[in-house]
Amino acid sequence: MKKVTTLFLGLLLAVMLMPAESLAYTYVYPTTYTYPTYQYQNQANVQSQVDYLNYLYRLVAQLQDQLKEQRQQQPVYYYTYPGTQYQYQYQYPYSNHYDDEVIVVGRARSNNDRNRNDDEPDVQTNSARDIDDHSAELRGEVDMNDYRNGYVFFVYGEDEDQVADIEDDYDEYRDIDEDGDDLQKIVVDSDLDGDSNYYAQIYGLDDNTDIYFQICVEYDDDDDDPVIACGGVEDFETDN
């Protein structure tokens, strides 16, 4: 009985240590015993173990396939540690739930901030009215758009070139030199934000004379430098 038990344990150990490719066969452990019943039972035992191990191998193969498929669906990130030749791979399953969101990085721009895309002031000179032999009413309008602190003024006189060249020749109101009847200036607003219409009554004009005028605004540009923008030259003739 002791020899049978030892033989049985040896047979079981041999089955457990069999390589995978050999498990598909049925082995009968060599024995010197001549008991047919014992040989039949031993053979059935081995077949049962083989079937069970084959089942386990198939189960492991299925699990490996599932893990492989899951890894292929996950993003893979590679990190290289600075100063070394090693590269580390990191896998992390996630759902990208930020796709439909807008993330703003940095400081939001306020209405007082300016950049190169800001709209420059709109300046327009309108026709004069209430014209007589020595006076008239000048008219114009200014919209500062994205800028502030506009210094609004009219220029007028008998010299058309001097009146027309204000925007090109000057950057600040204070630099404009008056030149008698040929060029005069008059301030109508010193701190415009937004838009407004302007009127200026002028006197001391020569009768039967052509007068040229335009409205202008001084403001600080994107570089905080003073500049002048004008609305175009209009003209009228005084009465006799």
Side-chain angles (χ1 to χ4, degrees), residues 28-235:
V28 178
Y29 191 86
T31 179
T32 59
Y33 294 93
T34 58
Y35 300 105
T37 302
Y38 170 75
Q39 187 174 4
Y40 171 77
Q41 291 176 347
N42 190 34
Q43 181 177 352
N45 239 353
V46 171
Q47 184 64 50
S48 177
Q49 292 291 337
V50 169
D51 292 342
Y52 180 68
L53 289 177
N54 284 335
Y55 165 75
L56 291 179
Y57 276 114
R58 289 195 301 270
L59 183 61
V60 169
Q62 291 176 1
L63 292 175
Q64 289 177 336
D65 290 340
Q66 292 178 3
L67 290 174
K68 182 178 179 180
E69 182 180 356
Q70 184 178 7
R71 284 195 297 268
Q72 291 175 349
Q73 295 176 354
Q74 295 174 357
V76 179
Y77 304 93
Y78 292 91
Y79 299 93
T80 302
Y81 188 77
T84 72
Q85 60 182 351
Y86 301 105
Q87 179 172 272
Y88 303 95
Q89 176 177 332
Y90 172 66
Q91 292 182 317
Y92 179 73
Y94 71 100
S95 60
N96 188 6
H97 57 276
Y98 296 104
D99 287 346
D100 298 330
E101 298 181 8
V102 176
I103 300 175
V104 178
V105 179
R107 180 175 61 90
R109 181 174 178 271
S110 68
N111 290 333
N112 293 327
D113 294 334
R114 300 196 305 270
N115 60 37
R116 300 291 180 183
N117 296 322
D118 285 340
D119 290 333
E120 296 180 351
D122 291 326
V123 189
Q124 178 177 328
T125 305
N126 297 327
S127 59
R129 64 185 183 186
D130 297 336
I131 303 168
D132 60 23
D133 52 353
H134 297 292
S135 65
E137 182 183 74
L138 309 181
R139 301 186 305 134
E141 54 189 274
V142 178
D143 185 346
M144 294 300 296
N145 290 321
D146 294 327
Y147 292 83
R148 299 291 181 268
N149 311 119
Y151 198 84
V152 186
F153 58 95
F154 284 97
V155 289
Y156 64 95
E158 298 176 8
D159 188 332
E160 181 179 6
D161 291 336
Q162 289 196 63
V163 172
D165 291 341
I166 294 297
E167 184 173 335
D168 295 331
D169 293 346
Y170 303 98
D171 295 325
E172 297 183 72
Y173 171 83
R174 65 183 180 181
D175 293 337
I176 301 173
D177 294 327
E178 294 180 330
D179 187 17
D181 292 339
D182 290 333
L183 183 64
Q184 293 290 312
K185 60 184 182 180
I186 178 172
V187 175
V188 291
D189 196 337
S190 60
D191 190 17
L192 172 62
D193 296 334
D195 61 277
S196 184
N197 296 326
Y198 294 99
Y199 311 89
Q201 192 74 29
I202 57 175
Y203 301 90
L205 304 177
D206 293 335
D207 59 1
N208 199 25
T209 303
D210 290 330
I211 305 296
Y212 304 92
F213 72 98
Q214 65 175 336
I215 189 172
C216 302
V217 60
E218 174 194 327
Y219 66 98
D220 291 338
D221 64 10
D222 293 327
D223 297 323
D224 292 328
D225 294 327
V227 293
I228 290 178
C230 296
V233 177
E234 294 283 337
D235 66 276

